[in-house]
Amino acid sequence: MHYLQIKGEAKLSGEIKISGAKNAALPLIALIILSKNPVTIKNLPDVSDIKTLIQLLANLGAKCEYLDAHTAVIDPRGINSTKAVYDIVRKMRASILVLGPLLARFGKAEVSMPGGCAIGARPIDLHLKAVEKMGAQVKIEEGYVVCEGALRGANISFDKITVTGTENVVMAAALAHGETCIINAAKEPEVVAVCEALASAGVKIEGIGTDELKITGTAGELLNINEITVIPDRIEAGTYLCAGAITNSKISVTSVNPAHLGAVLAKFEDMGFKFEISGSGNDSKITILPADEIKATKIITTEYPGFPTDMQAQFMALTCVAQGTSTVEERLFENRFMHVSELNRMGADIKLNGNIATIKGGKLAGADVMATDLRASSALVLAALAASGTTRVHRIYHLDRGYESLEAKFSALGAQILRLEE
Ligand code: UD1
């Protein structure tokens, strides 16, 4: 197994090109199941979650070919199975994203109950209730969710805002008979990317980017999709900006969309950092400038456009070196605090009370720590950069699920970071 060895008290400089968004690429790959043609998908991040989903599509019978590390052509015409098998799904919970498209195209989908990051119970009841409302019969058989039936439009009101749930229903509704109305839909940029890909293939969708979506299905007619480009990864961008912040260095991220990072940039500003922003849309550049003093803050994670739960761990690492006491309230995933004990091993002073962490800022010291989930792992890398001495972050396969060329990108910023064998 590999681990990362990171030398602390780093000073970083330079710029990093941000990869395509893993969480947008995943539904966009699943969406290709709805296409009648082969689709070229560009700006894919070179991370293991993407390879897992492509492997899943190949296992269903799709022809998948990489043109280069970031571009693949996926031909869904050969799909001859509707079963997403345990061996692949257990690696990644987001495999559930094939449920909506398979059901919509073939009238049947069997998906092994998903695994993935261990951050709370993470049920899929909302996905299932929605497809049931659209006319599917849902059963659980031998660890598989089995959905069957022709889909028709329905009124779906989500009790809780769910990102992949919204994506699944939007994709299912695209081929259904009639109109589907989703109330309390997720508004994340990744959901918008899915809606826009469908809209550019001719599916009528009203309310894109709002919490109420109306989708008119094609009544079974497959979609004419040729090319999709994945949007920039706002979480990867936020993580590198956090690296600039925690080392109080000036660094830039390029190929990003500042509009997707509103709550994150505002929080950096609250903590005393300033930015320079240039370019436009997905091709922007953000430079973070050192703060005179890193101030304590109060963070509450909520759905987009609020502060993202996927940036919670990285900001907690940052609050560990702030002046004064910060609080972090996690409202989306009850168990998303596995990084707390590891940060405390590095000398942090974090106390947990239910879903609220109180962090007394101070100094961090290098230690051996264990990565526990994707974003918690990146928080440990950030903490290591600021700590005195050397840190070894173990179990980094979590990081490889979602961060492309992490040590190469950090090395390019001047960090001393090595991938070594245990
Ligand atoms: C997606 C992201 C993940 C991010 C999360 C929240 C992908 C591949 N993953 O995960 O990185 O942290 O959004 O922004 O895009 N819930 C239910 N029942 C359901 C579905 C969800 O109770 O059927 C609950 C969850 O337990 C959680 C909340 O709803 O408390 C939000 O989860 P959801 O938005 O569904 O997260 P994911 O789509 O799995």
Side-chain angles (χ1 to χ4, degrees):
M1 234 190 293
H2 290 132
Y3 68 95
L4 288 176
Q5 180 170 292
I6 300 155
K7 190 145 180 285
E9 293 171 314
K11 264 289 163 209
L12 306 181
S13 64
E15 69 179 46
I16 281 300
K17 186 178 184 305
I18 293 306
S19 300
K22 168 182 87 73
N23 284 356
L26 291 170
L28 291 169
I29 291 168
L31 181 150
I32 295 174
I33 294 173
L34 303 174
S35 172
K36 62 178 161 204
N37 331 306
V39 178
T40 304
I41 180 157
K42 297 181 168 172
N43 201 30
L44 286 172
D46 187 6
V47 297
S48 66
D49 270 10
I50 297 303
K51 292 184 184 125
T52 301
L53 190 61
I54 289 188
Q55 187 196 354
L56 177 53
L57 259 70
N59 191 264
L60 295 172
K63 201 169 146 221
C64 305
E65 191 191 345
Y66 269 98
L67 300 184
D68 59 48
H70 302 110
T71 315
V73 179
I74 299 175
D75 182 350
R77 290 173 298 182
I79 294 180
N80 54 9
S81 162
T82 53
K83 188 165 185 171
V85 295
Y86 171 77
D87 257 358
I88 302 176
V89 177
R90 76 187 164 89
K91 292 188 199 158
M92 185 183 66
R93 183 193 140 79
S95 309
I96 192 68
L97 284 165
V98 299
L99 180 100
L102 282 177
L103 184 57
R105 179 165 184 160
F106 300 102
K108 185 164 185 187
E110 295 164 83
V111 182
S112 175
M113 297 290 279
C117 278
I119 49 171
R122 302 193 80 174
I124 52 163
D125 56 313
L126 300 173
H127 301 235
L128 300 183
K129 254 196 227 164
V131 293
E132 219 163 22
K133 193 128 192 241
M134 295 174 77
Q137 284 189 338
V138 178
K139 295 177 283 188
I140 309 286
E141 276 175 6
E142 295 170 7
Y144 280 76
V145 181
V146 182
C147 301
E148 227 168 328
L151 297 181
R152 51 170 195 273
N155 287 328
I156 314 282
S157 174
F158 280 122
D159 292 334
K160 242 182 179 179
I161 299 174
T162 160
V163 174
T164 49
T166 303
E167 290 162 352
N168 241 335
V169 174
V170 170
M171 294 189 282
L175 250 57
H177 294 254
E179 194 177 273
T180 299
C181 188
I182 309 178
I183 295 162
N184 211 20
K187 296 182 285 199
E188 271 66 3
E190 295 76 20
V191 177
V192 171
V194 169
C195 292
E196 283 176 348
L198 291 170
S200 59
V203 179
K204 190 175 160 210
I205 307 186
E206 288 169 51
I208 295 179
T210 74
D211 53 14
E212 213 168 308
L213 295 169
K214 210 178 267 178
I215 305 115
T216 308
T218 62
E221 196 183 319
L222 296 177
L223 306 180
N224 189 6
I225 312 172
N226 296 305
E227 196 177 292
I228 296 172
T229 302
V230 178
I231 60 170
D233 195 321
R234 63 194 168 102
I235 306 301
E236 190 198 16
T239 303
Y240 283 101
L241 290 173
C242 253
I246 204 166
T247 58
N248 219 9
S249 307
K250 176 182 172 181
I251 65 138
S252 305
V253 289
T254 62
S255 301
V256 293
N257 190 334
H260 297 167
L261 281 155
V264 169
L265 297 184
K267 199 51 71 181
F268 278 126
E269 276 171 353
D270 290 351
M271 296 183 81
F273 297 95
K274 292 197 170 63
F275 296 97
E276 287 163 1
I277 297 180
S278 57
S280 67
N282 289 343
D283 221 359
S284 301
K285 170 172 166 175
I286 306 175
T287 302
I288 187 165
L289 305 170
D292 297 332
E293 175 196 295
I294 304 179
K295 294 186 206 136
T297 190
K298 186 175 168 195
I299 292 172
I300 299 177
T301 67
T302 51
E303 295 85 1
Y304 190 85
F307 188 89
T309 174
D310 285 351
M311 284 302 302
Q312 183 255 101
Q314 299 90 316
F315 266 77
M316 194 181 296
L318 179 55
T319 61
C320 291
V321 301
Q323 303 278 324
T325 300
S326 303
T327 58
V328 173
E329 182 175 345
E330 173 56 58
R331 291 216 180 147
L332 290 181
F333 296 111
E334 69 273 25
N335 285 354
R336 199 168 208 177
F337 278 125
M338 267 118 56
H339 41 287
V340 168
S341 55
E342 300 305 296
L343 288 170
N344 281 344
R345 286 169 63 79
M346 297 179 71
D349 180 352
I350 309 173
K351 296 210 166 44
L352 257 186
N353 185 3
N355 67 335
I356 301 177
T358 304
I359 307 106
K360 221 186 258 174
K363 289 206 179 313
L364 295 169
D368 278 281
V369 289
M370 195 87 91
T372 46
D373 71 43
L374 173 56
R375 307 304 170 184
S377 314
S378 61
L380 298 177
V381 173
L382 297 176
L385 290 171
S388 58
T390 299
T391 297
R392 282 166 299 273
V393 182
H394 302 271
R395 292 208 188 156
I396 54 167
Y397 55 84
H398 291 291
L399 279 169
D400 294 333
R401 288 188 38 218
Y403 287 94
E404 175 172 341
S405 309
L406 181 104
E407 61 272 28
K409 289 190 183 187
F410 273 117
S411 298
L413 291 175
Q416 293 191 40
I417 178 167
L418 288 175
R419 180 180 290 248
L420 300 167
E421 193 91 40
E422 297 275 8

